[in-house]
Amino acid sequence: MTIAATILAFCQQIYTQKDSMHGIAHIERLLEKSNQYIKLTDTTVLAIWLHGLIETHESKIRELLSSYNLPLETIIQIAKDSLKNKYPVTFEGSLIHDMHLLEGNDDFLFIKSILTGYARGQTLAETRDYYLNFLYKKHKCAFPENQALFEKREQRTWELFHAISFLIEHPCKELEETLIFTVNACIDADNEKSVLLHSIRVCQQLFGKGYPVPILQAALMCDITQETKIKINDIRQKFGDFQANLIHSLTILNMEINKDSNNLYLDEVEKIKKLSLFNAPN
């Protein structure tokens, strides 16, 4: 077994026990993001793999690395520097530290908070309060240009938490499950607009008008089939025909409509109108 395989096996054993925001997918996102700014060396790759374990498994990491001809102290220092709650001292650690804070897309701080809170069994109120009390404006990037971007992302996160206030104040299991589904779908969304913020605000407006839960669920998912990897059949399987048909109709309406698709859209609208749930209560 090579050193890479040895360390990989050690890391995978631990990372597979972590939630989706702190497991192997997190390492892969960090590797991809860091590689956009510097040429990753064996030292920096090892540091990225080990950063999530360095505070709890440092002695084991030292034991593993000391068996090989590797810059042990450099790897450990970079791994420690890359942690969000540390002030980095090495260049490589500073860059990875910033990439750690800027992981994912512009909505990722919100996405990570929601999914981590959900994995830990927190309510939406508890997740919001944890972010505002312990994370919001508590971290800084090493490089000024990265800090400016990070502050914009923090502002976006605040807006998203503010937008879900109606769900926090009026808990609804079905809508919370739909939010988790939508947030999961948006992890890899790559666009300038916030699919999440737009969808949540649409849902918020319909909620204020008294529309029933199935329509509110469709509102929360209104753009994900256009902007993410989620397909209509995924929604149909998870939530049912009503929500899938409504989203499908909205998607067709937003497309360049030809004669055939226009007929399909009208057919879908007529089906939905026949359902009593379509109309808001008086």
Side-chain angles (χ1 to χ4, degrees):
M1 180 178 285
T2 66
I3 177 59
T6 302
I7 296 175
L8 185 61
F10 168 71
C11 293
Q12 287 178 332
Q13 181 182 9
I14 302 173
Y15 281 126
T16 51
Q17 300 173 30
K18 294 176 177 282
D19 62 69
S20 60
M21 292 292 98
H22 301 87
I24 293 175
H26 162 62
I27 300 300
E28 292 174 343
R29 286 190 295 267
L30 195 54
L31 285 167
E32 181 180 0
K33 192 82 172 181
S34 300
N35 196 44
Q36 295 173 9
Y37 291 85
I38 59 171
K39 182 179 180 180
L40 294 179
T41 64
D42 291 344
T43 297
T44 50
V45 169
L46 281 171
I48 289 172
W49 269 101
L50 295 170
H51 86 276
L53 315 177
I54 197 65
E55 291 188 311
T56 55
H57 297 79
E58 182 173 347
S59 59
K60 179 61 177 178
I61 290 171
R62 285 182 174 278
E63 179 185 333
L64 276 173
L65 297 182
S66 62
S67 300
Y68 300 87
N69 186 24
L70 291 167
L72 186 151
E73 295 301 334
T74 300
I75 293 171
I76 289 177
Q77 185 61 57
I78 294 173
K80 289 181 176 180
D81 281 350
S82 70
L83 298 176
K84 293 189 294 184
N85 60 346
K86 301 295 183 180
Y87 186 83
V89 296
T90 64
F91 173 78
E92 295 87 347
S94 297
L95 184 72
I96 299 170
H97 169 274
D98 285 8
M99 296 306 100
H100 200 171
L101 290 172
L102 296 173
E103 176 184 356
N105 54 34
D106 287 346
D107 291 335
F108 196 80
L109 291 175
F110 177 78
I111 291 171
K112 188 169 187 176
S113 293
I114 291 294
L115 295 183
T116 300
Y118 179 73
R120 295 174 178 173
Q122 295 175 340
T123 65
L124 289 177
E126 289 170 337
T127 296
R128 175 202 58 192
D129 292 346
Y130 183 87
Y131 175 77
L132 293 178
N133 292 330
F134 298 104
L135 299 176
Y136 185 56
K137 295 187 181 298
K138 298 295 191 296
H139 298 116
K140 288 189 178 295
C141 291
F143 299 103
E145 60 272 25
N146 292 335
Q147 178 63 19
L149 178 56
F150 182 62
E151 289 176 1
K152 288 183 180 179
R153 291 191 172 195
E154 286 194 306
Q155 178 62 27
R156 169 73 66 80
T157 305
W158 186 92
E159 291 174 356
L160 282 160
F161 271 115
H162 181 72
I164 64 168
S165 293
F166 73 102
L167 277 178
I168 293 173
E169 296 167 2
H170 305 278
C172 172
K173 181 180 178 181
E174 291 86 353
L175 285 180
E176 288 184 18
E177 290 177 347
T178 309
L179 177 66
I180 296 300
F181 181 84
T182 303
V183 166
N184 258 310
C186 292
I187 289 176
D188 297 319
D190 184 19
N191 48 48
E192 294 183 359
K193 69 176 183 178
S194 174
V195 176
L196 275 174
L197 189 57
H198 167 70
S199 302
I200 291 169
R201 284 176 173 170
V202 170
C203 182
Q204 181 185 31
Q205 291 182 20
L206 295 179
F207 176 87
K209 295 179 181 296
Y211 278 87
V213 169
I215 288 182
L216 299 179
Q217 288 178 300
L220 267 177
M221 300 182 284
C222 64
D223 274 353
I224 61 175
T225 59
Q226 301 175 72
E227 306 291 351
T228 76
K229 298 176 182 178
I230 293 294
K231 307 298 182 186
I232 287 295
N233 283 340
D234 298 323
I235 295 173
R236 192 180 307 280
Q237 183 177 7
K238 177 73 175 178
F239 298 98
D241 289 338
F242 178 82
Q243 293 89 334
N245 289 344
L246 182 52
I247 293 169
H248 181 58
S249 300
L250 292 170
T251 302
I252 292 175
L253 183 62
N254 289 329
M255 294 169 59
E256 184 177 355
I257 300 174
N258 56 38
K259 182 176 180 180
D260 291 336
S261 63
N262 186 47
N263 291 336
L264 177 59
Y265 162 70
L266 294 175
D267 288 343
E268 293 293 343
V269 169
E270 288 305 314
K271 291 177 185 177
I272 293 171
K273 283 183 177 179
K274 291 177 182 178
L275 297 173
S276 60
L277 287 174
F278 181 76
N279 297 307
N282 295 324

